[in-house]
Amino acid sequence: MSESLPSRKIDLAQLDAEALKQWIKSQALDLGFADCVVAKPDAQAEMARFQEYLDRGYHADMDYLKENLEKRADPTLLVPGTKSIICVRMNYLVETPKPRYVPYEPNSAIIARYARGRDYHKIMRGRLKTLASRIRDKVGNFESRPFADSAPIFEKSLAESAGMGWTGKHTLLIHKKSGSFFVLGELFTSLDLPFDEPATAHCGSCSACIDICPTQAIVEPYMLDARKCIAYLTIEYKGIIPQELRHGIGNRVFGCDDCQLICPWNSFAKKATIEDFNPRNGLDNISLLELWQWDEETFLKNTEGSPLRRTGYQSFKRNIAIGLGNAPYTTEIVTQLEQARTKHDEIVNHHIDWAIEQQISKS
């Protein structure tokens, strides 16, 4: 009997920790998160692939990605005392999208679906703080810190290591029953919780996301060249967009969903349960010319609390100018472009001139 007693105590302790983990997951779902897993604070396995990504220059001018590599690999260096990381996700689709091969109205402005409503970073952090408060009410004081794409963290790697899905060939996380239209968040905690097991990958031989990319930014499975990626070019990049990529950008003025829209697993994509993701100011159905009419004051007013603020007014107009250049010829587009030249900086004017040339060549 004396020899079996210690193992029984360990089993009881594990049961208590497992029960707490399941309770935390139930609270997360109650707060509107679509899923919740617990990850080990260790992302060393991601370092080799990430270093190769950096060595190839695929991070473009996002030099901050080269910083704090030790903290990315070891989250306990970012938040000392971290013993477990609660990973959550939120679905952001408001309506089931049409497959990408269904032609879009060429005069419409396409904005990535996650960016049509309220900035998810604020939604995510707020609810993670509420989750931490609920846990504190149950277990007493503990250390915690919420994140939502706001620190040097391998978000996808941590979530993947705990079974939230697998990294697809487009480099986004895919869940077998929910697709990939979701955003991620983390709650670093000092709680000693049991970790969840990783999921298996199910991309197989499919290359749909690679084949559909308008600018061929997915240079090989699981490797994305940001220098060609429409999401990077229209959101993060502030300079002159290479001319050879402008036709591929088409009428996408903020981000791109093509690699997700073509993914077979997104036939299982779930809709958002949180109203904050609902489109604002008609951003799910707005024309290029209507957006072109926005002056800076209107832009700031209509993008308050929106991810669109990230690109800035001038870069936003640059993106719209490219869309207008790619649109079918109309005299109105040419007129609107010509009248705007005195209102923008040199970079925007460069793209306006290109757009006018494109329009005239189609007249």
Side-chain angles (χ1 to χ4, degrees):
M1 291 291 292
S2 61
E3 293 180 357
S4 63
L5 189 57
S7 64
R8 289 176 62 189
K9 286 184 177 180
I10 292 172
D11 289 342
L12 181 60
Q14 289 176 339
L15 178 62
D16 290 342
E18 181 66 30
L20 175 59
K21 182 176 79 169
Q22 296 306 322
W23 179 85
I24 290 172
K25 290 185 176 186
S26 69
Q27 295 301 305
L29 296 179
D30 183 62
L31 286 170
F33 295 114
D35 198 4
C36 175
V37 298
V38 177
K40 181 180 179 181
D42 180 2
Q44 294 285 350
E46 182 68 13
M47 282 307 300
R49 186 209 66 84
F50 190 66
Q51 190 61 58
E52 182 180 359
Y53 169 81
L54 294 174
D55 291 344
R56 294 188 185 186
Y58 290 166
H59 61 297
D61 65 356
M62 296 181 287
D63 290 334
Y64 63 87
L65 292 176
K66 297 186 290 186
E67 302 170 356
N68 299 304
L69 295 182
E70 298 86 357
K71 292 180 180 179
R72 289 183 183 276
D74 183 359
T76 64
L77 297 177
L78 179 64
V79 182
T82 297
K83 294 182 179 178
S84 63
I85 299 176
I86 298 172
C87 301
V88 295
R89 63 179 175 86
M90 281 183 172
N91 300 324
Y92 60 79
L93 276 185
V94 174
E95 59 181 11
T96 302
K98 297 177 181 178
R100 188 61 184 99
Y101 54 76
V102 175
Y104 282 93
E105 167 56 46
N107 291 314
S108 67
I110 299 178
I111 294 170
R113 282 156 182 77
Y114 83 88
R116 296 175 180 180
R118 187 183 175 210
D119 189 343
Y120 79 87
H121 299 88
K122 300 175 182 178
I123 307 170
M124 184 73 75
R125 282 196 296 269
R127 294 187 184 234
L128 283 171
K129 289 179 181 178
T130 301
L131 178 61
S133 179
R134 289 190 182 186
I135 298 171
R136 194 166 287 112
D137 289 342
K138 184 174 181 66
V139 305
N141 194 38
F142 73 100
E143 297 298 320
S144 68
R145 189 172 170 186
F147 294 100
D149 193 24
S150 55
I153 300 170
F154 284 134
E155 290 190 307
K156 290 181 292 183
S157 179
L158 289 170
E160 183 176 17
S161 72
M164 191 172 280
W166 73 92
T167 298
K169 293 178 182 178
H170 49 23
T171 75
L172 301 173
L173 203 64
I174 303 174
H175 189 276
K176 197 172 184 179
K177 296 182 179 179
S178 299
S180 62
F181 284 103
F182 52 77
V183 289
L184 302 174
E186 302 79 37
L187 185 67
F188 282 43
T189 83
S190 60
L191 298 173
D192 199 359
L193 299 172
F195 309 129
D196 287 305
E197 296 296 320
T200 53
H202 298 279
C203 283
S205 61
C206 179
S207 62
C209 60
I210 299 174
D211 301 335
I212 199 67
C213 180
T215 53
Q216 295 299 290
I218 308 171
V219 294
E220 63 185 68
Y222 316 107
M223 194 63 75
L224 177 76
D225 186 348
R227 296 170 299 185
K228 298 180 179 180
C229 179
I230 295 173
Y232 164 77
L233 291 169
T234 59
I235 300 173
E236 303 291 340
Y237 185 57
K238 306 304 179 186
I240 293 175
I241 292 177
Q243 189 164 326
E244 65 270 18
L245 299 176
R246 295 176 195 171
H247 287 302
I249 289 173
N251 54 345
R252 303 166 189 83
V253 300
F254 190 96
C256 179
D257 290 328
D258 283 29
C259 62
Q260 296 192 82
L261 291 170
I262 200 68
C263 178
W265 290 107
N266 274 320
S267 62
F268 303 106
K270 301 296 189 298
K271 295 181 183 178
T273 58
I274 298 172
E275 292 185 357
D276 294 271
F277 288 110
N278 289 344
R280 297 177 171 187
N281 299 304
L283 291 178
D284 58 332
N285 185 25
I286 195 165
S287 72
L288 289 163
L289 276 175
E290 186 175 351
L291 279 185
W292 188 247
Q293 303 301 319
W294 287 10
D295 57 19
E296 188 165 10
E297 182 180 355
T298 304
F299 172 80
L300 293 174
K301 176 184 177 183
N302 289 347
T303 61
E304 185 175 359
S306 162
L308 269 65
R309 279 281 181 96
R310 184 172 182 84
T311 194
Y313 177 66
Q314 292 296 334
S315 293
F316 192 57
K317 298 294 278 194
R318 173 202 64 186
N319 300 342
I320 302 168
I322 291 175
L324 289 171
N326 288 322
Y329 170 79
T330 68
T331 55
E332 183 179 9
I333 288 178
V334 175
T335 300
Q336 293 292 334
L337 286 168
E338 290 176 338
Q339 291 176 349
R341 289 199 87 266
T342 59
K343 303 176 182 178
H344 299 293
D345 63 22
E346 183 179 348
I347 291 178
V348 179
N349 284 336
H350 175 92
H351 295 82
I352 288 176
D353 290 342
W354 175 86
I356 292 172
E357 290 177 2
Q358 296 300 306
Q359 280 287 309
I360 292 175
S361 70
K362 291 178 279 192
S363 64

